[in-house]
Amino acid sequence: MGVAYGTAKSGVGVASMGVMSIGINPKAKSYYSFDGYAHLSSSLSCGLVDLSAGMAIRIVGDAGVRTYNLTEDVYI
């Protein structure tokens, strides 16, 4: 939670710096709604992939722990 909050705050700071003082960034351009939707869709797809990977890891890990618990002989 803390990492996400820090990342969001730093991103907002960098974005506001680029908007407020265009002289700092000579390549600054106006931000169109298409760019916003492109960034939204890419972040949603990455977030959903991370969520599904986390769920898959949880399911596999749970199955492994339950199987390990049933086994008396463990070969390492």
Side-chain angles (χ1 to χ4, degrees):
M1 240 6 210
V3 173
Y5 179 73
T7 303
K9 288 297 278 186
S10 65
V12 168
V14 169
S16 67
M17 183 179 68
V19 170
M20 295 298 178
S21 56
I22 294 179
I24 293 175
N25 188 3
K27 293 184 179 181
K29 63 175 187 172
S30 59
Y31 198 74
Y32 297 107
S33 62
F34 175 78
D35 296 331
Y37 286 121
H39 291 152
L40 176 67
S41 62
S42 65
S43 64
L44 281 176
S45 65
C46 289
L48 291 174
V49 165
D50 289 341
L51 179 68
S52 61
M55 290 175 63
I57 290 170
R58 180 185 60 93
I59 291 169
V60 170
D62 184 47
V65 168
R66 289 177 191 262
T67 304
Y68 180 77
N69 192 19
L70 296 175
T71 311
E72 295 178 7
D73 301 335
V74 178
Y75 177 73
I76 299 177

